[in-house]
């Protein structure tokens, strides 16, 4: 059975209905996500870019290698990394940029875009799921800087986040670095608004999951009878997104039928926020020697540098 179908059936059969957030990103979902990235209320990308622009020298000052592999996990089109890579390329004798992404097409876009700006940068693209393709890095001798940007770590539960950081730590040698973009705990209203934007783009992003199921899995969700609701819990730092049924109804997916009670929820995403203290302790717990945090001027977001 197709993995998407299997995951949807499992998710909608469980006590708390849920759909894994990785399924947001079909062609339409990726387009809507780009819209989200441009929203003022969704402050994350602007903060991350500010740190990349203003703190690159301070980050680089921590990393004194002559040659380096800069490996980006889930690299996407790489556009926001250009000036950062340019600075490393100027400072160090040899830099190899290794973007890894599930999509081979996006890696082609990435390579073109970056070579256009930095024509003599060596680029090796590694398409595929990085948990499977990371073995290809074992042969490389250069010291590493691994990047995981965009606060993607927030989409993991705390246990998954620790598992991920252990996985990254395992790829690294002693003295290598890991730089991760992390959205920080802050005024809870600011976070709540980021996931309940006033233009309803995040609502469309969530509802597209149901449309995708209708398109790809022969579903018959009546989209208009579902609402979107985003919460933020300042105690554990979890922003959770839900869709909820506005009436009692049955939904067919292929030959399976799912019953929804009025106001029953489907959990669609966790976007966890961290404190610097929590990052320090997770870093220690997952095998890193130290970490340092580079923040934007509002102290909303951190680029956290971990050394093995
Ligand atoms: C990709 N990820 C870090 C985003 C987030 O903030 O959790 C996805 C997103 N969901 C709603 N808005 C943005």
């Amino acid at each position: 059975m197709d993995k998407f179908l299997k995951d949807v059936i499992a998710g909608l059969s469980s006590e708390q209905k849920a759909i894994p957030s990785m399924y947001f990103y079909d062609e339409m979902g990726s387009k809507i996500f780009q819209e989200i990235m441009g929203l003022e209320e969704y402050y994350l990308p602007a903060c991350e870019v500010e740190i990349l622009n203003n703190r690159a020298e301070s980050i680089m000052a921590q990393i004194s290698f002559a040659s380096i592999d800069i490996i980006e996990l889930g690299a996407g089109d790489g556009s926001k990394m250009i000036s950062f890579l340019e600075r490393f390329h100027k400072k160090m004798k040899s830099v190899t940029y290794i973007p890894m992404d599930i999509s081979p097409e996006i890696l082609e876009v990435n390579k073109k875009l970056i070579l256009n700006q930095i024509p003599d940068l060596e680029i090796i693209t590694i398409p595929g799921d990085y948990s499977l393709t990371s073995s290809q890095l074992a042969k490389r001798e250069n010291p590493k800087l691994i990047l995981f940007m965009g606060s993607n770590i927030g989409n993991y539960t705390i246990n998954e986040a620790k598992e991920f950081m252990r996985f990254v730590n395992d790829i690294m040698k002693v003295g290598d670095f890991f730089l991760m973009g992390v959205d920080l705990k802050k005024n809870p209203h600011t976070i709540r608004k980021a996931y309940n934007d006033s233009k309803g783009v995040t609502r469309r992003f969530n509802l597209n999951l149901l449309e995708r199921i209708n398109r790809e899995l022969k579903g018959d969700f009546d989209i208009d009878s579902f609402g979107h609701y985003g919460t933020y819990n300042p105690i554990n730092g979890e922003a959770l997104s839900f869709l909820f049924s506005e009436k009692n109804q049955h939904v067919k997916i292929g030959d399976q039928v799912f019953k929804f009670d009025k106001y029953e929820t489907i959990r669609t995403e966790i976007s966890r926020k961290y404190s610097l203290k929590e990052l320090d302790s997770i870093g220690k717990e997952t095998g890193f020697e130290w970490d340092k945090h580079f923040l934007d001027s509002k102290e909303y977001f951190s680029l956290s540098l971990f050394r093995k």
Side-chain angles (χ1 to χ4, degrees), residues 22 26 36 53 65 123 152 166 185 201 269 279 292:
M22 66 178 185
D26 67 342
I36 291 177
N53 288 338
F65 301 135
I123 302 184
N152 288 324
R166 281 196 196 95
K185 286 183 172 166
V201 185
E269 191 177 43
L279 290 170
K292 286 193 166 55

Side-chain angles (χ1 to χ4, degrees), residues 25 33 36 42 44 150-152 155 195 202 205 269 271 273:
Y25 303 93
F33 183 58
I36 291 177
Y42 191 70
L44 289 76
S151 196
N152 288 324
N155 298 131
Y195 294 90
T202 310
F205 183 60
E269 191 177 43
S271 300
K273 313 302 168 190

Side-chain angles (χ1 to χ4, degrees), residues 32 43 63 73 191 266:
I32 306 174
Y43 55 83
I63 305 172
L73 306 177
I191 295 176
I266 310 173

Side-chain angles (χ1 to χ4, degrees), residues 17-77:
K17 292 183 167 63
I19 303 173
S21 60
M22 66 178 185
Y23 294 114
F24 276 138
Y25 303 93
D26 67 342
E27 207 183 325
M28 178 56 77
S30 302
K31 266 195 198 135
I32 306 174
F33 183 58
Q34 287 309 315
E35 268 184 72
I36 291 177
M37 302 264 281
L39 293 171
E40 203 165 328
E41 289 148 307
Y42 191 70
Y43 55 83
L44 289 76
C47 295
E48 190 171 55
V49 167
E50 182 195 321
I51 308 167
L52 282 169
N53 288 338
N54 296 349
R55 302 304 310 279
E57 305 301 327
S58 317
I59 295 171
M60 267 170 35
Q62 303 294 327
I63 305 172
S64 50
F65 301 135
S67 309
I68 192 168
D69 283 352
I70 301 183
I71 297 152
E72 185 169 7
L73 306 177
D77 73 9

